[in-house]
């Protein structure tokens, strides 16, 4: 590499052009260039390339200079030193993002290559992240997006959008500028709408792969713009959720990526917008519920089911979609009722524990005892809302053992601790014949049927029972003193409180009994 770089630095004209092409061919897949750390080769190479870019008489070489810089910009070494205001200005000029008054009618490969280079620089350089908002780049960018027409090259749209995503992700101060001052979110919503219209006009209801990639970039940019925004209510947000509804119903080779980004965006939508994810319908199909089309919710449930099968990064894979569902079922009664029927249908299988099997209910119940506290609490909250925050119903569907952690956190362990949530009074519970038949034999702790077990104290004298009780107290006391266990009683706030001596448990026993035969009515 050293010899080739030395030639690029010293040559000019045809030889220079040939050598930078050779560099691209040989090192186009590299991300680190440690060879350039010697003899200031890195600095000299960047200087040579920018010298060519600043010379309009060598415009025929500009594309390859930008391509070479794009490759070099993957290496973070001295990147902040290599980028100056002047050099950033040269890049923006080649990207047609330096002057808002310049409106190109046609875009060249030079423009596209400059945008790709700019993406790398934003991603890898803190200096560029700080410098870019001080230029005219963002106003030029949003103005260009606003004026998109059918003649705009796909790659211009893709990298314009990616630049907005990257700068708003890495420099939080730009989010308010893009959204509030420049109304950039409106431009992106319009782009999504146009893609939907195109798919509907084609009558294929299929998003082509290129468009699916572009949609994902738009959704990521919108997520950044809405994540901490206080000004997200109104028709604009409702319109966006309505578009997300349509996007969920289109097919694509990028289904998983699309649905993932839609789920992320749904986590930051205002509560009063979620009703737009469903729509009235007179059609009759499987996903109609109370004259509302639940197809988009069904797609999200299928996506949740796939994510529940993930083995790696459970928090990253599951938190967004579970959070999105929590918000939707809190906000919209019909979404909650439909979702509950899909996840917690009337209970028929009482012979297996709630966490056993491959149903959505089973997969979610398994996570109620997950060591990943954040995920465990999210799933518990989701199921609790589906149960209308009714403790008895939650125990029925998940088992007291699985839900005890959540009950403790919420202060719901006491027998008289009840939440008075704002849910409709109509019952959604139709106890099945299977459940009613075995109800008395269902263990509320495990949540499933158990055959009657012989009484271990049967046949013992009172003296023997007292002896066994004292032995048990002694063992618990020993474990407590050694720090192996920490016995608790239930405090007045419904949360577990550590005890000082095991005999306190005996005093608390009468009021700690959990009566699993309490009414399950609403």
């Amino acid at each position: 590499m050293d010899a080739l770089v030395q030639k690029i630095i010293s040559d000019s004209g045809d030889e220079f052009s040939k050598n930078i092409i050779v560099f691209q061919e040989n090192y186009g897949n590299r991300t680190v260039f440690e060879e350039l750390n010697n003899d200031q080769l890195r600095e000299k190479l960047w200087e040579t390339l920018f010298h060519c870019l600043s010379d309009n008489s060598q415009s025929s070489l500009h594309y390859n200079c930008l391509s070479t810089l794009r490759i070099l910009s993957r290496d973070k070494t001295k990147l902040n030193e290599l980028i100056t205001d002047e050099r950033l200005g040269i890049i923006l000029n080649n990207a047609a993002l330096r002057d808002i008054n310049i409106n190109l009618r046609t875009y060249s490969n030079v423009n596209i290559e400059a945008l790709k280079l700019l993406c790398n620089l934003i991603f890898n350089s803190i200096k560029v992240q700080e410098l870019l908002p001080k230029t005219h780049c963002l106003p030029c960018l949003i103005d260009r997006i606003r004026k998109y027409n059918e003649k705009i090259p796909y790659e211009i749209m893709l990298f314009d959008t990616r630049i907005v995503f990257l700068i708003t992700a890495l420099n939080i101060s730009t989010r308010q500028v893009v959204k509030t001052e420049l109304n950039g979110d409106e431009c992106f919503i319009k782009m999504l709408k146009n893609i939907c219209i195109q798919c509907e006009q084609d009558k294929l209801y299929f998003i082509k792969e290129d468009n699916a990639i572009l949609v994902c970039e738009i959704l990521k940019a919108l997520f950044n713009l809405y994540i901490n925004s206080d000004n997200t209510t109104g028709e604009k947000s409702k319109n966006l959720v309505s578009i997300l509804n349509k996007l969920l119903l289109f097919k694509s080779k990028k289904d998983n990526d699309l649905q993932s980004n839609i789920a992320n965006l749904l986590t930051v939508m205002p509560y009063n917008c979620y009703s737009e994810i469903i729509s009235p319908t007179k059609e009759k199909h499987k996903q109609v519920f109370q004259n509302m089309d639940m197809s988009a919710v069904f797609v999200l449930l299928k996506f949740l089911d796939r994510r529940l099968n993930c083995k790696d990064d459970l928090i990253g894979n599951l938190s967004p979609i579970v959070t999105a569902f929590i918000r939707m079922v809190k906000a919209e009664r019909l979404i909650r009722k439909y979702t509950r029927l899909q996840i917690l249908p009337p209970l028929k299988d009482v012979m297996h524990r709630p966490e056993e099997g491959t149903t959505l209910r089973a997969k979610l119940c398994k996570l109620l005892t997950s060591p990943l506290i954040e995920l465990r609490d999210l799933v518990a909250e989701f199921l609790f809302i589906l149960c209308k925050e009714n403790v008895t119903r939650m125990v029925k569907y998940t088992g007291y053992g699985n839900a005890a952690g959540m009950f403790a956190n919420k202060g719901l362990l006491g027998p008289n601790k009840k939440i008075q949530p704002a849910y409709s009074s109509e019952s959604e519970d139709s106890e099945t014949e299977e459940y009613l038949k075995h109800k008395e034999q269902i263990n509320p702790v495990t949540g499933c049927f158990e055959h009657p077990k012989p009484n271990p104290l049967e046949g013992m004298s009172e003296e023997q029972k007292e002896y066994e009780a004292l032995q048990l107290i002694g063992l618990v006391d020993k474990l407590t003193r050694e720090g192996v266990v920490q016995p608790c009683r239930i405090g007045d706030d419904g949360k577990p409180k550590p005890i000082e001596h095991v005999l306190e448990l005996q005093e608390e026993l009468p009021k700690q009994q959990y009566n699993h035969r309490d009414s399950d009515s609403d």
Side-chain angles (χ1 to χ4, degrees):
M1 179 187 285
D2 290 12
L4 178 59
V5 172
Q6 289 286 6
K7 286 182 181 181
I8 294 172
I9 293 169
S10 58
D11 290 342
S12 60
D14 292 342
E15 287 301 312
F16 173 79
S17 177
K18 290 176 183 177
N19 286 328
I20 57 176
I21 291 173
V22 171
F23 182 91
Q24 293 170 39
E25 291 172 347
N26 291 349
Y27 306 108
N29 294 323
R30 290 274 294 274
T31 56
V32 178
F33 302 91
E34 56 276 325
E35 299 95 330
L36 300 180
N37 295 336
N38 303 321
D39 302 323
Q40 289 193 310
L41 285 178
R42 190 185 307 273
E43 291 87 340
K44 292 175 183 177
L45 180 55
W46 278 70
E47 176 65 33
T48 301
L49 293 167
F50 272 101
H51 179 75
C52 178
L53 284 169
S54 62
D55 185 351
N56 289 332
S57 67
Q58 300 189 68
S59 59
S60 62
L61 302 177
H62 287 183
Y63 172 79
N64 283 319
C65 285
L66 290 165
S67 294
T68 305
L69 285 166
R70 173 176 55 81
I71 295 166
L72 292 170
S73 64
R74 298 169 185 161
D75 190 338
K76 294 184 180 182
T77 306
K78 294 187 176 180
L79 200 53
N80 289 332
E81 299 171 27
L82 292 165
I83 288 297
T84 63
D85 289 4
E86 181 184 1
R87 289 178 178 178
L88 182 58
I90 290 171
I91 296 168
L92 292 177
N93 191 54
N94 281 279
L97 292 175
R98 196 172 188 179
D99 188 343
I100 197 167
N101 295 314
I102 296 177
N103 185 14
L104 296 182
R105 294 191 177 185
T106 59
Y107 292 88
S108 67
N109 287 335
V110 169
N111 304 131
I112 294 169
E113 203 64 23
L115 290 172
K116 291 179 181 178
L117 169 58
L118 191 55
C119 285
N120 282 1
L121 292 175
I122 295 170
F123 186 72
N124 287 323
S125 169
I126 294 175
K127 185 176 181 180
V128 173
Q129 296 163 18
E130 294 172 348
L131 282 177
L132 202 65
K134 299 174 184 178
T135 70
H136 292 293
C137 176
L138 291 176
C140 289
L141 198 55
I142 299 304
D143 186 64
R144 182 158 78 195
I145 293 172
R146 185 174 286 110
K147 295 173 181 176
Y148 279 168
N149 56 44
E150 65 276 2
K151 295 181 181 179
I152 196 81
Y154 167 79
E155 287 186 301
I156 293 288
M157 293 192 291
L158 179 65
F159 291 106
D160 279 355
T161 306
R162 188 165 292 169
I163 287 170
V164 175
F165 162 66
L166 288 170
I167 194 64
T168 53
L170 299 169
N171 184 339
I172 294 174
S173 66
T174 62
R175 295 174 183 173
Q176 198 68 8
V177 174
V178 173
K179 181 177 182 294
T180 305
E181 297 179 22
L182 301 174
N183 290 319
D185 59 332
E186 290 183 359
C187 300
F188 289 126
I189 292 171
K190 182 181 176 182
M191 286 176 70
L192 290 177
K193 185 176 181 179
N194 289 339
I195 292 171
C196 286
I197 289 172
Q198 182 183 335
C199 292
E200 290 171 339
Q201 286 175 343
D202 293 342
K203 295 185 179 180
L204 296 175
Y205 295 94
F206 182 86
I207 303 180
K208 296 175 183 177
E209 189 168 354
D210 280 354
N211 273 342
I213 294 170
L214 176 58
V215 167
C216 287
E217 292 295 325
I218 295 170
L219 295 172
K220 288 191 288 186
L222 283 168
F223 176 84
N224 289 345
L225 298 182
Y226 281 102
I227 184 170
N228 290 319
S229 176
D230 296 326
N231 184 26
T232 54
T233 57
E235 291 305 311
K236 185 164 55 176
S237 298
K238 288 185 177 181
N239 186 30
L240 175 54
V241 176
S242 178
I243 291 170
L244 298 183
N245 181 353
K246 292 181 180 180
L247 288 172
L248 284 167
L249 303 185
F250 294 145
K251 299 294 182 183
S252 168
K253 290 182 179 179
K254 294 284 184 179
D255 272 352
N256 200 59
D257 291 339
L258 270 172
Q259 291 163 18
S260 176
N261 283 294
I262 290 171
N264 288 343
L265 187 51
L266 284 171
T267 64
V268 296
M269 287 291 97
Y271 278 99
N272 66 339
C273 295
Y274 290 116
S275 58
E276 302 299 317
I277 205 75
I278 59 178
S279 55
T281 183
K282 293 182 179 179
E283 296 180 18
K284 299 297 181 183
H285 55 81
K286 289 182 180 179
Q287 271 62 63
V288 172
F289 179 75
Q290 295 189 9
N291 298 318
M292 299 296 285
D293 189 347
M294 297 286 175
S295 298
V297 179
F298 181 75
V299 171
L300 289 171
L301 283 166
K302 288 295 182 184
F303 176 71
L304 169 63
D305 194 24
R306 292 198 303 275
R307 284 295 167 100
L308 285 167
N309 294 329
C310 292
K311 303 298 181 185
D312 303 315
D313 189 19
L314 285 176
I315 292 178
N317 280 311
L318 279 168
S319 291
I321 183 61
V322 175
T323 301
F325 265 111
I326 287 173
R327 292 177 66 84
M328 287 192 296
V329 298
K330 271 186 175 180
E332 184 58 40
R333 181 178 63 91
L334 286 180
I335 295 177
R336 177 183 58 78
K337 294 177 74 173
Y338 174 79
T339 302
R340 178 175 182 252
L341 284 174
Q342 303 302 312
I343 296 177
L344 303 176
L347 199 56
K348 291 186 176 182
D349 182 6
V350 295
M351 297 299 171
H352 298 92
R353 293 191 176 207
E355 67 271 22
E356 294 177 350
T358 58
T359 62
L360 272 171
R361 170 191 172 220
K363 292 175 184 179
L364 289 167
C365 284
K366 286 176 189 175
L367 294 173
L368 292 175
T369 52
S370 168
L372 302 171
I373 297 174
E374 177 187 341
L375 183 58
R376 180 198 69 194
D377 291 348
L378 266 180
V379 170
E381 181 72 10
F382 179 35
L383 291 173
F384 196 43
I385 295 168
L386 291 183
C387 291
K388 297 172 75 170
E389 300 185 41
N390 181 299
V391 172
T392 306
R393 180 178 289 174
M394 182 79 168
V395 170
K396 171 182 172 181
Y397 279 97
T398 69
Y400 189 83
N402 288 329
M406 186 205 71
F407 294 154
N409 290 338
K410 287 182 174 288
L412 296 173
L413 289 176
N416 297 317
K417 295 292 178 181
K418 292 183 179 180
I419 289 179
Q420 297 298 330
Y423 293 108
S424 59
S425 60
E426 62 186 273
S427 175
E428 298 169 11
D429 228 3
S430 54
E431 293 192 342
T432 62
E433 292 182 12
E434 292 87 347
Y435 179 79
L436 291 171
K437 179 179 178 181
H438 301 289
K439 186 174 181 179
E440 299 302 318
Q441 286 79 42
I442 292 175
N443 184 334
V445 175
T446 61
C448 69
F449 173 87
E450 287 187 4
H451 290 285
K453 296 177 180 178
N455 185 351
L457 302 179
E458 191 174 350
M460 287 187 183
S461 65
E462 292 302 316
E463 290 79 6
Q464 287 175 311
K465 292 178 183 178
E466 185 176 346
Y467 172 79
E468 293 295 337
L470 290 172
Q471 288 290 101
L472 181 59
I473 290 173
L475 287 172
V476 173
D477 186 52
K478 180 183 178 183
L479 292 172
T480 302
R481 284 186 281 103
E482 293 176 354
V484 178
V485 297
Q486 177 62 71
C488 296
R489 63 179 181 81
I490 306 304
D492 293 336
D493 60 356
K495 295 183 179 181
K497 304 290 181 184
I499 62 170
E500 295 181 5
H501 194 278
V502 292
L503 288 178
E504 291 181 47
L505 294 176
Q506 185 176 1
E507 299 169 8
E508 292 288 319
L509 189 61
K511 55 184 178 181
Q512 300 301 327
Q513 295 295 326
Y514 177 78
N515 183 3
H516 71 280
R517 296 173 186 173
D518 286 348
S519 170
D520 189 31
S521 66
D522 293 321

